[in-house]
Every structure is written in C-alpha cells, then in structure tokens.
Amino acid sequence: RIQERTLELARANASLQEDINGRKRAENALRESETRFRALAEVDSSAIIIYQDDRFIYANPGAEKITGYSSKELLGMNWWSIVHPEHRDIVRQRGQDRLSGKVPQSHYPVKITTRSGEERWLFAGACPITAGGRSAVVVTCLDITELRRLETEREQLNERLATHRRLESLGVLAGGIAHDFNNLLQA
C-alpha cells in the first residue's frame, strides 16, 4: 500500500511539476510579448495611447511629440482635453458605440489641440481592450496635419488652374472674334 501511495504521489508531483513548467513558459512568453510591445510602442513615431474612464493610462513618446505634452502630463489628463471641441461629439459617439459592442468606423480623421494651442489633424484608429480588469481603449494616431495642408493647397492650385484655363479659353475666343471682326472691317 505504501508503494501504491508513493507511486500516486510521484505521479501527482510529476503532474504538478509539468503545470509549474507550463506556467513558467507562459510567464516567459508574456514577458517577451510585453517587451516586444514596449519596444515597438517606444520607437513608433505615431502616437499610441491607452485611456480608461476618460483618463490616459499610457502614452508613448510619439504621443508626446504629436501633442506637445510630456508623458507624465498626459497621464494626469482627461482624454477630452486634447480632442478639438468640433470633434468631441463624433469621437464620443464612436467610443460609446465601440464599448457597447457596436462596430463603428475603426479609422477616421480627428482634430486635436496641442499643448501650444495648435490644431493638428490625426488619422486615428481605436480598439477596446481590458486593462486591470476594466474596459479601456487603445488608440493609435498618425499625424496627417501636413498631408491635410498639402491637400488644401493642391485644391486651391487646381481651382486657380481651372480659373486660368477659363480665362485662357475666353482670351482665345475673344482673339478669334477680334480676328473675324477685323477681317470683316478690312473687306
């Protein structure tokens, strides 16, 4: 009977050791995954933020560069303090839709106000996550301010080009009429 019990204990011990090894592998994989995420987030030039209950709980250096606030300042701020007033309603609605399980547009342009008061355009993407057992949102943002400025400038140039072409056509028409009128007068 002692031998049977010893054999049972040995099997239970082997099973526990296997469980311990599995947990250690899972913990190592989790640590490696977190290290990769941190490395990626820290070197990415786009803003990566996580907010929970309207408060920033994570902001990478890209967020600092785009917003003008330090990471420490951002962590004490309300998310809505950087969203431009013209865009708060649409951002709030998309956030509520996302948290309630609806599938809103996942990427969209949004305007923010930087620390210096400058308005910047971002192309934002958001996804709900769980942080500390509670709902949170991870947001990635690319600064498209310069792209928007160039698009506006291109539209203005296209309008000016169209105006010049209309004036050129009018000039050619007027020249043709003057030439025909001159021919009639010569005769």
Side-chain angles (χ1 to χ4, degrees):
R1 190 153 197 212
I2 292 174
Q3 287 177 343
E4 286 177 22
R5 185 69 179 141
T6 303
L7 189 57
E8 285 177 26
L9 288 172
R11 277 188 237 143
N13 191 26
S15 177
L16 285 173
Q17 190 61 42
E18 190 176 312
D19 284 350
I20 290 170
N21 290 338
R23 285 179 188 233
K24 284 181 181 179
R25 283 191 300 273
E27 287 173 3
N28 286 337
L30 180 61
R31 252 190 309 281
E32 287 177 14
S33 177
E34 183 176 340
T35 300
R36 283 192 303 270
F37 167 77
R38 285 233 179 254
L40 176 65
E42 297 300 314
V43 300
D44 195 357
S45 60
S46 62
I48 300 174
I49 59 169
I50 300 174
Y51 71 90
Q52 188 174 56
D53 301 327
D54 296 338
R55 295 261 178 223
F56 289 98
I57 61 171
Y58 173 79
N60 75 337
E64 293 178 9
K65 184 178 178 198
I66 290 172
T67 64
Y69 292 99
S70 72
S71 184
K72 194 173 193 175
E73 290 172 314
L74 285 170
L75 294 181
M77 291 174 60
N78 184 300
W79 158 248
W80 300 108
S81 61
I82 68 165
V83 176
H84 194 278
E86 295 172 5
H87 288 245
R88 285 183 185 152
D89 289 340
I90 188 73
V91 172
R92 184 173 280 118
Q93 184 60 50
R94 286 184 175 146
Q96 288 171 348
D97 288 349
R98 193 174 294 103
L99 291 174
S100 68
K102 294 180 185 174
V103 184
Q105 183 179 355
S106 62
H107 291 83
Y108 52 90
V110 63
K111 194 177 352 175
I112 66 163
T113 306
T114 66
R115 185 171 203 248
S116 65
E118 177 186 6
E119 294 177 355
R120 300 201 66 77
W121 281 95
L122 306 178
F123 187 69
C127 179
I129 62 169
T130 302
R134 297 186 2 240
S135 294
V137 177
V138 63
V139 181
T140 60
C141 302
L142 293 172
D143 188 348
I144 60 169
T145 304
E146 185 65 17
L147 180 63
R148 295 281 286 215
R149 186 190 65 74
L150 290 173
E151 285 177 358
T152 302
E153 190 176 298
R154 187 190 76 211
E155 289 171 5
Q156 291 170 346
L157 287 172
N158 283 338
E159 288 174 16
R160 287 176 45 200
L161 180 61
T163 300
H164 285 290
R165 285 185 177 158
R166 284 192 298 272
L167 290 173
E168 181 182 4
S169 296
L170 187 59
V172 169
L173 178 64
I177 291 172
H179 181 71
D180 289 346
F181 189 65
N182 192 27
N183 285 344
L184 286 173
L185 288 175
Q186 292 253 341

